[in-house]
Amino acid sequence: DSLQPRMKVVVIAKKNHNLMLKLQEKKLESMLLPNDNDDTDNSNITTTDDNNDSSSQSDFLASLLSSKEPENVELPPTPPLSTIERDRKVAEMRLLSGLADGEEAVKDLWALWYSERGGPAKALLEQADDLMGNPQKWDDCEAILMSLVDEHGIYFVEPLNRLATLYFLQSEFEKSYRLCLTILKIKPWHFGALSGIVPVCVGRGDKDAARYWAEKRLPSFVAGASFPPLAK
């Protein structure tokens, strides 16, 4: 008899997770719709945020990390999608729909997110991950991630996600929290940030926020492969 209530909770949780995945798919799909009838050729647009002044990205981060109301800090304008980026968004939507079925989509999404700005940026992210495991190299790790933000802008969210991880490990919970919020404004379906923001809220002493975000986390097999990747 004691197992029956637990089974009901599991079934309800699974339904909630599936519903959330569907909603996130709709949000991602809506990003593609405005350009569906657009005849403009964006094929030559770079996949970096070069059309945005790099200083504006640094200014945004500085404003975000110092603002008294981080929830109200406005994001810089979204850069136009190139043909390659649109294809990646379609792939992201497809992989997102597969999250409810197993772990393979998790690995594929991480690979897609790390590769969003090409091989050199991916290599730097992986280098930052290696440095993150050594507290004596944390300054170098932060410098690499900041340089990626400066070069590619905040809409390449993985440098922000790794910065959030780094600040969490450094017990800089407020900075980590603000970065997680930004990531989730840009990619509400980012399961790494959805998982990571919960212990960040606990670190901030905000149990209500931790409960709020815990309800939005994806299934446990996803959360287990998510931010933060290192034991503190």
Side-chain angles (χ1 to χ4, degrees), residues 144-218:
I144 290 173
L145 296 172
M146 284 293 192
S147 70
L148 285 169
V149 175
D150 286 342
E151 181 177 357
H152 299 287
I154 65 166
Y155 288 95
F156 178 31
V157 301
E158 282 318 302
L160 296 184
N161 188 47
R162 309 323 291 160
L163 276 171
T165 305
L166 178 63
Y167 292 146
F168 175 83
L169 294 173
Q170 294 174 331
S171 298
E172 295 276 1
F173 300 121
E174 187 60 33
K175 288 183 178 180
S176 185
Y177 174 70
R178 294 175 182 218
L179 289 171
C180 285
L181 287 180
T182 301
I183 295 163
L184 292 172
K185 282 183 180 180
I186 298 170
K187 286 184 185 287
W189 52 87
H190 195 292
F191 52 78
L194 282 169
S195 176
I197 198 172
V198 176
V200 169
C201 288
V202 172
R204 294 174 72 236
D206 191 342
K207 294 181 179 179
D208 290 338
R211 293 190 191 97
Y212 171 81
W213 288 109
E215 292 176 357
K216 295 181 178 295
R217 286 188 298 187
L218 297 178

Side-chain angles (χ1 to χ4, degrees), residues 13-23 100 219:
K14 186 173 182 179
K15 288 181 178 179
N16 288 340
H17 289 314
N18 290 339
L19 176 60
M20 183 177 297
L21 286 172
K22 290 294 183 183
L23 291 174

Side-chain angles (χ1 to χ4, degrees), residues 127-138 141 166 169 230-231:
Q127 181 182 354
D129 279 349
D130 290 339
L131 295 174
M132 203 175 296
N134 182 355
Q136 295 180 349
K137 297 292 184 179
W138 279 351
C141 177
L166 178 63
L169 294 173
L230 304 173

Side-chain angles (χ1 to χ4, degrees), residues 29-55:
E29 186 177 1
S30 70
M31 296 174 65
L32 301 174
L33 292 179
N35 291 328
D36 284 349
N37 298 319
D38 188 355
D39 294 329
T40 303
D41 183 8
N42 290 330
S43 60
N44 292 325
I45 296 175
T46 60
T47 55
T48 65
D49 292 353
D50 292 338
N51 294 325
N52 293 336
D53 190 301
S54 62
S55 64

Side-chain angles (χ1 to χ4, degrees), residues 63-76:
S63 176
L64 174 71
L65 297 177
S66 63
S67 173
K68 293 182 179 179
E69 298 181 345
E71 295 87 351
N72 297 327
V73 175
E74 293 187 5
L75 298 175

